[in-house]
Amino acid sequence: MSELVPGGNLPLPGGTLTLQVPGPFDVSALITDDSGKVRGDGDFVFYNQPTAPGAQLHGETLTVDPRGLRAGASRVTVVVSPADPGTPLGRLPAPTLRVTGSGGRLLARFTPARPQQETVLLLAEIYRRGTTWKLRALGQGYADGLAGIARDFGVEVSEDAGAAAGGAAPGGGSVPGGSRTAGVTTALSAARAGLGRLRGAGRTPAGRTAPAPAGVPRSPSVVTPRTAPTASAPDGYLGLVNSARAAAGSPPVSLDARLTAAARTHAAGMAAQGRLGSEGADGLSVHQRVTAGGYAYLTVGEHLVSGPRTPAEFVEYCLSGEQSRRTLHDPAFTEAGVAYVADNRSGTLYWTALWARPLTPAGLARTAAEVIALTNAERASAGLPPLAGDPLLAAAAQAHSADMVTRAFYSHTSPDGSEPWHRAAAAGSTRRTIGENIACGQRSPAEVVDGWMNSPGHRANILKPAFTHIGVGFAGGGSAGTYWTQLFGA
């Protein structure tokens, strides 16, 4: 049995899976393809629509047979919300997901950090990689209810013409509440009822209805599939960004639903506090929101801005300064997410734009190789022989970077007391002399090696004549965003 942490995953055996979340929670699921979008109403499984091909809901228990999912389905996202519609998740115990396989064998358990004001939580996802199905722990919270999640997965929620004006500002925000609706017979009506139990979950699109005073509930009433891949971004944003990138000779970026979800949650937190910041009131950094949403990255960047009223104004602002312009133009980024949320007190819009390149084994290998090449270039300039890559040192270095993200520390000494030489030995290395450099926050191999060379102690390790081998580790996430490890051996 595996105890998962946010972003952790494991391969799944064949056969039907049983997922349970005991306690005062409602469980639901969204079935999507590789685009992350639902195909229609039948892909939304919840208490009023408990069955879909390959998935069935019985109270707090969801069963999933990946082989029985509809054609093209490659992901099942498990969602939890309070059984009592008016209760924020922060007033309840942290939900615990239990996943069992055929024969009742417990495969995994996952308990995310206890939510605060969030009303819905993306708990985990079952996803396909090649011919293998895997489970990934998420733990991504939403403050704008089930309707906010539905929109990000391709479901559009609009209001009845006669409904009360909502308490949600452009881009996000919610007023929890609502009640269950019984006696629904069609899939469309069922989806409508399920969304209506979290009042205020709908958002007012930019340029349409102005937000009403906070506290007035809105009642989502119509649910239709949305298929446009850019629908989660403000109108025109992607075109403006890619035009600016093209002018700088950089390739275009595409929108990613997980980055957009993390951007929306972070923007909502800034709007609630009325200030910009890389860390929310819940203590989570913008990078932790990205990884908690299941997005592993090789490099990441962000814009946190308040004030612009339109996508054009926002992009213009990002192009006005050297550092922010460099982020928008960075050719390393291939995917993006953006959201804005209004401060209900002042009406100021708070923006979060996220930029990333997803982590792949090949990309991680290239990053490590580039760190080694830059390190050896510094040694060559000092008249020293190059260091050879060592797979055992690399395994220990990679494990330490990942551990710093997972256990939220930054030190040569792990929380269990282990030191670099202990970690090297545990990985199977028999080298007699061990040295270690660590760093956090740098966004590229060039930046991290330059930082180490500008620090006397780290420079001494890189230029130590006795060292003959090296391993490099990298992990994204945590409060700093990136964590690097060099492990030297002789």
Side-chain angles (χ1 to χ4, degrees):
M1 192 275 294
S2 298
E3 288 280 359
L4 296 178
V5 298
N9 64 78
L10 80 159
L12 294 168
T16 299
L17 303 165
T18 301
L19 300 92
Q20 293 180 300
V21 185
F25 305 105
D26 278 342
V27 179
S28 53
L30 289 148
I31 300 167
T32 59
D33 54 24
D34 288 338
S35 72
K37 302 295 183 180
V38 299
R39 179 175 292 179
D41 301 323
D43 285 345
F44 194 7
V45 179
F46 61 106
Y47 69 91
N48 254 352
Q49 182 173 274
T51 61
Q56 191 163 14
L57 182 63
H58 301 277
E60 65 186 27
T61 301
L62 175 71
T63 58
V64 177
D65 180 2
R67 300 167 302 179
L69 295 173
R70 64 160 173 81
S74 59
R75 184 181 302 170
V76 179
T77 303
V78 182
V79 180
V80 293
S81 54
D84 178 359
T87 304
L89 286 170
R91 298 182 186 175
L92 303 175
T96 295
L97 173 69
R98 292 169 53 88
V99 182
T100 56
S102 300
R105 182 169 68 93
L106 184 61
L107 302 175
R109 185 167 53 200
F110 172 53
T111 303
R114 186 175 179 179
Q116 298 300 315
Q117 296 303 312
E118 292 89 342
T119 55
V120 181
L121 194 68
L122 298 185
L123 195 55
E125 65 179 2
I126 298 165
Y127 66 101
R128 186 177 62 213
R129 282 291 182 269
T131 60
T132 302
W133 286 88
K134 296 185 175 184
L135 174 74
R136 179 186 287 123
L138 300 178
Q140 175 70 49
Y142 275 64
D144 50 353
L146 199 57
I149 286 181
R151 281 192 176 90
D152 285 338
F153 281 80
V155 177
E156 183 172 333
V157 182
S158 60
E159 285 68 43
D160 284 334
S174 69
V175 181
S179 60
R180 295 192 178 205
T181 303
V184 180
T185 56
T186 67
L188 184 60
S189 297
R192 178 189 309 145
L195 292 173
R197 63 197 297 267
L198 290 174
R199 292 183 295 175
R203 290 185 295 272
T204 305
R208 292 178 64 185
T209 308
V216 181
R218 51 172 61 184
S219 304
S221 60
V222 179
V223 181
T224 55
R226 174 191 287 166
T227 58
T230 60
S232 292
D235 291 343
Y237 173 80
L238 193 62
L240 291 166
V241 162
N242 283 333
S243 176
R245 288 175 63 84
S250 298
V253 293
S254 60
L255 291 174
D256 182 272
R258 294 163 295 176
L259 292 175
T260 298
R264 180 173 292 111
T265 301
H266 194 75
M270 293 192 299
Q273 296 180 80
R275 63 177 178 84
L276 297 173
S278 60
E279 185 176 283
D282 56 3
L284 294 180
S285 73
V286 65
H287 311 108
Q288 288 169 311
R289 299 190 197 285
V290 171
T291 55
Y295 191 102
Y297 55 78
L298 195 59
T299 186
V300 69
E302 66 280 342
H303 286 113
L304 308 179
V305 178
S306 64
R309 302 295 303 179
T310 66
E313 288 182 10
F314 174 71
V315 172
E316 182 181 7
Y317 178 87
C318 293
L319 292 171
S320 64
E322 181 180 352
Q323 183 172 345
S324 61
R325 182 169 59 250
R326 188 162 57 244
T327 297
L328 192 149
H329 287 162
D330 194 332
F333 299 135
T334 60
E335 295 179 334
V338 65
Y340 62 92
V341 178
D343 179 342
N344 286 332
R345 295 154 297 190
S346 65
T348 300
L349 297 188
Y350 285 81
W351 294 75
T352 298
L354 296 170
W355 312 84
R357 175 183 289 271
L359 179 70
T360 63
L364 181 61
R366 286 194 299 269
T367 296
E370 188 172 351
V371 171
I372 293 174
L374 291 168
T375 298
N376 282 333
E378 297 292 347
R379 287 177 64 87
S381 296
L384 297 171
L387 302 173
D390 183 314
L392 298 179
L393 294 179
Q398 182 61 34
H400 188 55
S401 288
D403 194 29
M404 287 191 288
V405 170
T406 300
R407 293 201 275 180
F409 74 97
Y410 177 65
S411 174
H412 294 290
T413 304
S414 299
D416 58 9
S418 63
E419 302 286 355
W421 42 92
H422 298 136
R423 295 190 288 271
S429 176
T430 58
R431 302 201 178 276
R432 299 174 62 86
T433 304
I434 295 293
E436 182 178 79
N437 285 344
I438 59 175
C440 66
Q442 295 80 8
R443 304 302 171 89
S444 69
E447 186 178 348
V448 73
V449 172
D450 184 63
W452 279 326
M453 287 301 294
N454 286 318
S455 168
H458 300 93
R459 179 186 178 92
N461 271 342
I462 288 175
L463 300 182
K464 186 171 182 176
F467 286 142
T468 57
H469 290 76
I470 186 174
V472 173
F474 166 86
S479 59
T482 59
Y483 290 78
W484 306 79
T485 302
Q486 280 183 318
L487 199 58
F488 305 91

